Amino acid sequence: MKQPVVDSEACIGCGVCAHLCPGVFEIVDEISRVKDPGACASCDCQEAIDTCPVDAISWRDTGA
Ligand code: SF4
């Protein structure tokens, strides 16, 4: 199973990912964090990955 992860060092807090996938990403202290990776089923996390201006989001294979 794949889950999105945010590189908090790279993220500039633009909010695009949280706009595209509000069930998955939230902005906390101007940094995106993944609140529910399972919610990708109801949005397009790949679009968030492709749209992030600093390529801070990637997939992690959980092996499950
Ligand atoms: Fe951060 Fe990228 Fe999300 Fe913008 S789209 S808040 S830079 S992770």
Side-chain angles (χ1 to χ4, degrees):
M1 183 180 157
K2 292 190 303 182
Q3 293 187 348
V5 291
V6 172
D7 179 347
S8 59
E9 298 288 317
C11 175
I12 57 172
C14 72
V16 165
C17 55
H19 176 72
L20 291 170
C21 298
V24 177
F25 303 98
E26 65 180 352
I27 306 298
V28 178
D29 293 336
E30 300 183 2
I31 298 292
S32 173
R33 73 177 192 100
V34 176
K35 61 179 178 180
D36 182 3
C40 275
S42 60
C43 68
D44 188 352
C45 281
Q46 185 61 53
E47 184 178 3
I49 288 172
D50 293 342
T51 307
C52 175
V54 292
D55 292 333
I57 314 170
S58 59
W59 291 113
R60 178 177 60 194
D61 189 343
T62 63

